[in-house]
Amino acid sequence: MKYNHIAYIIFTVVITGCAGIGGTGGTIDEPVVAPKSQKVFNGIVSQANTKSKEITVGGVQFNHTNAQITRNLTTVDENQIKVGQKLTLEATDSDEDGIYEATTILIEEQFLGPIESIDLTLSVIKVLSQTIYITQATSFTEKEFNTLEINDYLAVFGFRRDDGTLEATLIELVKEDFSPSSDTVKITGEVTEVNLDNGSIKLDGVEIRVRPSEINDFTVGEFVSYENLEINA
């Protein structure tokens, strides 16, 4: 399917309750000393040691030996955690040794969808009409930047720049050929419009149709994550 000939893509929600408030991103977290009482953490994985089952997220060390790890509503094993991913963790430092014991870990990509365009000169790809910058710090699975192709189905992790574009920290290849009839997409962005007349919202210019019961829950300016969507051509 071609996407570059239309101004926006319309999506239809296929699973109830898949919207959630997301973070604004900004910059990769600097190392910090977390308060002992803090139990919820959010950030980018900068180090991962599969042997010791320890990871560093936002400068804080975690052990995930006994953690339940989920991604896209599915329980996954520890091998799914990779440097560059964005995680939300629940954890406590019960023995006060500076290493937090994670109980739950949520792996959350910002975008899941097909590549619409690639600019090797500017180091930019577009996924779901969103501009995504590739840097020397961006990690890849399966493919490198110069081997990506239009319609590759990607999971994209990263953080928002001040201009609203995304700087990728990790690009995961889900598969080479996105199929709109069977593959779903996910988008995270700022609500830029709420249209009560046609029951839709826009996230950074991408239009999403939502159920009538949900439309009043959205406010322009908030950040929302919508997953398990399918393209309605």
Side-chain angles (χ1 to χ4, degrees):
M1 175 180 286
K2 296 181 180 179
Y3 300 100
N4 56 359
H5 66 288
I6 55 178
Y8 53 78
I9 308 169
I10 298 178
F11 301 101
T12 304
V13 180
V14 294
I15 294 184
T16 303
C18 292
I21 304 303
T24 59
T27 58
I28 294 178
D29 298 329
E30 296 295 331
V32 295
V33 177
K36 293 184 177 64
S37 60
Q38 186 171 347
K39 294 185 178 181
V40 179
F41 302 81
N42 185 287
I44 303 292
V45 179
S46 57
Q47 294 181 351
N49 188 323
T50 55
K51 194 170 185 179
S52 65
K53 297 188 178 182
E54 290 182 354
I55 57 176
T56 302
V57 177
V60 180
Q61 277 189 284
F62 298 89
N63 183 286
H64 55 77
T65 301
N66 299 312
Q68 180 181 18
I69 307 169
T70 59
R71 180 173 183 177
N72 297 326
L73 308 178
T74 303
T75 300
V76 298
D77 62 37
E78 62 193 43
N79 294 323
Q80 293 291 313
I81 299 177
K82 300 180 179 65
V83 171
Q85 288 176 334
K86 180 184 177 185
L87 305 183
T88 297
L89 309 94
E90 292 184 358
T92 56
D93 184 11
S94 55
D95 53 8
E96 300 186 1
D97 64 350
I99 300 176
Y100 281 70
E101 292 78 40
T103 53
T104 64
I105 299 175
L106 174 63
I107 302 173
E108 16 178 23
E109 63 268 5
Q110 277 86 342
F111 297 101
L112 181 66
I115 296 179
E116 298 162 355
S117 66
I118 303 171
D119 190 324
L120 294 176
T121 302
L122 296 178
S123 297
V124 167
I125 62 174
K126 282 201 172 185
V127 175
L128 306 179
S129 300
Q130 304 300 295
T131 299
I132 299 166
Y133 281 90
I134 310 300
T135 72
Q136 290 184 342
T138 304
S139 298
F140 290 84
T141 66
E142 304 298 330
K143 287 188 173 185
E144 296 298 325
F145 178 46
N146 60 1
T147 61
L148 293 176
E149 298 179 87
I150 301 298
N151 211 44
D152 278 350
Y153 187 26
L154 304 181
V156 180
F157 298 83
F159 59 92
R160 289 278 180 183
R161 292 177 168 181
D162 291 340
D163 62 1
T165 58
L166 192 84
E167 183 171 318
T169 53
L170 175 65
I171 300 288
E172 291 184 350
L173 178 69
V174 179
K175 65 177 189 176
E176 290 191 330
D177 292 308
F178 174 81
S179 173
S181 63
S182 59
D183 297 325
T184 60
V185 300
K186 174 181 178 180
I187 184 170
T188 300
E190 181 180 357
V191 178
T192 53
E193 181 182 320
V194 178
N195 191 322
L196 298 177
D197 293 331
N198 68 3
S200 70
I201 63 172
K202 284 187 179 181
L203 298 187
D204 293 324
V206 178
E207 186 172 10
I208 301 174
R209 288 180 180 167
V210 299
R211 291 187 172 93
S213 59
E214 298 176 331
I215 190 67
N216 291 317
D217 295 335
F218 297 98
T219 303
V220 171
E222 70 180 343
F223 277 76
V224 171
S225 180
Y226 245 117
E227 61 186 342
N228 291 318
L229 307 175
E230 58 185 18
I231 291 177
N232 180 20

